[in-house]
């Protein structure tokens, strides 16, 4: 175990529960991360105390998932999830247990967890319960289901995505029987809510190994959203050159899938995965921009920026450089750094100035557009008096 230990507020909750006679331990991702020497993102406490008992002991707590036995305890303004040891029944919908029951037994609780590395508990005295060999699997960098993998994926098909996500994030291999079960049970993924598939796919895209989206595709986990499976991951590997941000990584994925005929358009694909409208618009615009040659001059860059906005143009430049090489980002940065005007906001005259000249309605919009086009070509002339004279002159002629 590494030297990472739980913070004081977590220890305090554990010791308080223990003092009341309840079994208590840390479990799940925080234990895995401690063993790996990675700072855990959150601390999950598991206990034999029933949710009502936890709430009695900690008046500052909220019942955040009572049906799963989870109470959020607030300690020192920090919140920690405290969950009662539980076991789960059958899973008719391949995602949620039909019912859960609280058990006094830690091993029963650990056996319902997805992977051996996530089924290790650490007690207040530092002793470890590891009934499924999770420590060895972590040492060998292996993701292995607790129990029979096919059965576990039948219970909850999302676990197949979690296996690939953890392998991308931790750089672990998936143990052969677990991987074989993913291939066999992949059709069950079609029944998962699109939002869950979106979240897991995005988390993989945001790791250091975004190309493992190919594992999802190859296994058939995304079949419901694709016209065909991608044949290789050569281009997907280039996604890691992109900033670890959702927008450029989704845009690059869409481009690769569209080019290979796996999706008809980014819009259809992302709509089916319930992405937000901003991401859909940006990815659709990027796809169009990537079809065209990149701008060849600063004036062309500014025209593009004025039509599509900084975010979309930046995203397309990032994707172009990462997927096909080139220096689009460098050229774009130079234009942005120049401070030259490419939007009405930075034009030296406003709509009010033009109104004062007697220009109204549609003509006003057209005049602003005309002045912006002019200034994009002659940036040194973005001066109020000069533009007002030009407006007056154009109005008269
Ligand atoms: P992360 O660092 O991404 O949060 P995590 O392991 O903490 O990783 P959570 O989704 O926060 O993942 O879940 C906490 C724990 O609950 C897991 O470590 C695992 O023991 C258990 N768990 C979560 N989801 C599932 C699932 N679908 N099936 C079985 N056990 C699960
Ligand atoms: Mg977690």
């Amino acid at each position: 175990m590494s030297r990472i230990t739980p913070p004081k507020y977590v220890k305090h909750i554990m010791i308080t529960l223990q003092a009341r006679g309840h079994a208590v331990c840390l479990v799940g991702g925080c234990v895995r991360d401690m063993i790996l020497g990675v700072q855990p993102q959150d601390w999950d406490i598991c206990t034999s105390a029933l949710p009502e008992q936890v709430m009695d002991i900690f008046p500052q707590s909220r019942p955040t998932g009572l049906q799963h036995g989870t109470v959020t305890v607030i300690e020192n303004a920090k919140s920690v999830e405290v969950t009662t040891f539980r076991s789960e029944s059958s899973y008719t919908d391949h995602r949620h247990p039909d019912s859960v029951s609280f058990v006094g037994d830690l091993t029963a609780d650990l056996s319902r967890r997805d992977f051996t590395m996530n089924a290790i508990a650490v007690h207040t005295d530092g002793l470890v319960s590891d009934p499924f060999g999770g420590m060895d699997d972590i040492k060998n960098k292996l993701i292995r289901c607790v129990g029979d993998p096919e059965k576990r994926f039948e219970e909850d098909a999302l676990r197949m995505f979690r296996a690939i996500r953890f392998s991308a994030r931790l750089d672990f291999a998936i143990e052969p029987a677990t991987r074989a079960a993913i291939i066999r049970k992949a059709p069950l993924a079609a029944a998962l809510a699109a939002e869950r598939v979106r979240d897991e796919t995005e988390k993989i895209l945001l790791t250091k190994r975004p190309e493992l989206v190919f594992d999802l595709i190859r296994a058939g986990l995304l079949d419901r959203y694709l016209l065909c499976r991608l044949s290789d991951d050569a281009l997907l590997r280039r996604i890691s050159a992109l900033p670890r941000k959702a927008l450029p990584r989704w845009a690059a994925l869409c481009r690769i899938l569209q080019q290979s005929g796996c999706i008809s358009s980014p819009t259809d694909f992302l709509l089916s995965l319930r992405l937000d409208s901003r991401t859909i618009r940006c990815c659709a615009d990027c796809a169009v921009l990537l079809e065209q040659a990149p701008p060849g001059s600063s004036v062309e860059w500014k025209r593009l920026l004025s039509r599509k906005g900084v975010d979309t143009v930046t995203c397309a430049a990032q994707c172009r450089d990462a997927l096909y090489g080139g220096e689009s980002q460098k050229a774009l940065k130079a234009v942005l750094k120049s401070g030259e005007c490419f939007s009405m906001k930075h034009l030296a005259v406003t709509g009010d100035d033009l109104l004062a000249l007697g220009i109204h309605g549609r003509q006003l919009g057209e005049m602003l557009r005309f002045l912006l086009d002019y200034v994009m070509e002659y940036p040194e002339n973005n001066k109020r008096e000069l533009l007002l004279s030009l407006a007056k002159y154009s109005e008269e002629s």
Side-chain angles (χ1 to χ4, degrees), residues 110-122:
L110 293 177
S111 70
R112 72 163 172 94
R113 293 175 182 272
D114 46 6
F115 307 113
T116 58
M117 63 177 186
N118 289 342
I120 309 172
V122 177

Side-chain angles (χ1 to χ4, degrees), residues 174-188:
I174 299 178
E175 173 273 329
T178 301
R179 184 172 285 285
I182 293 179
I183 310 285
R184 275 198 296 274
K185 294 296 162 187
L188 296 177

Side-chain angles (χ1 to χ4, degrees), residues 12 26 60 75 102 116 141 150 180 211 240 257 266 316 364 393:
H12 172 73
L26 288 170
Q60 281 236 53
E75 187 61 45
F102 300 134
T116 58
K141 300 177 126 217
E150 290 202 18
E211 68 274 12
S240 57
L257 292 174
L364 190 145
Y393 175 77

Side-chain angles (χ1 to χ4, degrees), residues 161 290 368:
F161 287 82
L290 289 169
L368 281 170

Side-chain angles (χ1 to χ4, degrees), residues 29 41-42 44:
Q41 290 161 8
D42 42 36
D44 287 319

Side-chain angles (χ1 to χ4, degrees), residues 42-217:
D42 42 36
W43 298 89
D44 287 319
I45 294 176
C46 222
T47 179
S48 58
L50 293 170
E52 310 82 72
Q53 294 174 310
V54 177
M55 287 198 290
D56 277 351
I57 298 172
F58 303 101
Q60 281 236 53
S61 58
R62 281 179 280 117
T64 39
L66 269 195
Q67 71 279 28
H68 301 116
T70 304
V71 171
T72 301
V73 174
I74 318 274
E75 187 61 45
N76 271 358
K78 303 253 171 44
S79 57
V80 183
E81 290 202 340
V82 178
T83 306
T84 306
F85 295 152
R86 67 168 205 252
S87 65
E88 291 167 354
S89 67
S90 51
Y91 294 66
T92 324
D93 67 353
H94 305 298
R95 174 73 191 106
H96 306 99
D98 298 332
S99 66
V100 305
S101 46
F102 300 134
V103 291
D105 176 26
L106 170 63
T107 307
D109 183 277
L110 293 177
S111 70
R112 72 163 172 94
R113 293 175 182 272
D114 46 6
F115 307 113
T116 58
M117 63 177 186
N118 289 342
I120 309 172
V122 177
H123 303 264
T124 45
D125 55 7
L127 278 180
V128 173
S129 292
D130 179 21
F132 305 106
M135 294 280 255
D136 276 349
D137 282 338
I138 291 178
K139 202 161 63 199
N140 297 320
K141 300 177 126 217
L142 273 185
I143 294 165
R144 182 196 308 271
C145 277
V146 170
D148 173 8
E150 290 202 18
K151 212 172 125 236
R152 301 313 308 283
F153 295 146
E154 271 168 25
E155 287 172 357
D156 180 359
L158 197 72
R159 291 174 186 151
M160 297 187 274
F161 287 82
R162 286 174 60 85
I164 293 170
R165 161 156 73 88
F166 284 124
S167 86
R169 182 166 121 198
L170 305 172
D171 204 8
F172 278 24
I174 299 178
E175 173 273 329
T178 301
R179 184 172 285 285
I182 293 179
I183 310 285
R184 275 198 296 274
K185 294 296 162 187
L188 296 177
L192 290 169
E195 290 81 355
R196 298 282 77 74
V197 174
R198 171 197 66 199
D199 292 350
E200 291 295 328
T201 306
E202 182 164 303
K203 283 179 185 170
I204 295 171
L205 280 176
L206 292 176
T207 66
K208 273 195 216 146
R209 300 181 70 202
E211 68 274 12
L212 286 200
V213 167
F214 186 59
D215 278 19
L216 297 181
I217 297 171

Side-chain angles (χ1 to χ4, degrees), residues 323-382:
L323 297 180
Y324 312 113
E327 299 203 312
S328 287
Q329 290 175 89
K330 196 170 156 201
L332 171 61
K333 268 186 200 144
V335 171
L336 292 173
K337 205 168 157 216
S338 72
E340 291 175 9
C341 171
F342 57 81
S343 84
M344 305 275 183
K345 261 195 318 216
H346 301 123
L347 207 53
V349 291
T350 64
D352 285 346
D353 291 329
L354 299 186
L355 272 176
L357 290 183
I359 307 174
H360 305 276
R362 212 170 62 135
Q363 276 164 331
L364 190 145
E366 279 168 8
M367 181 60 79
L368 281 170
R369 189 70 234 172
F370 166 77
L371 293 176
L372 178 62
D373 284 343
Y374 171 77
V375 158
M376 286 198 284
E377 203 150 343
Y378 301 100
E380 65 283 4
N381 289 351
N382 188 19

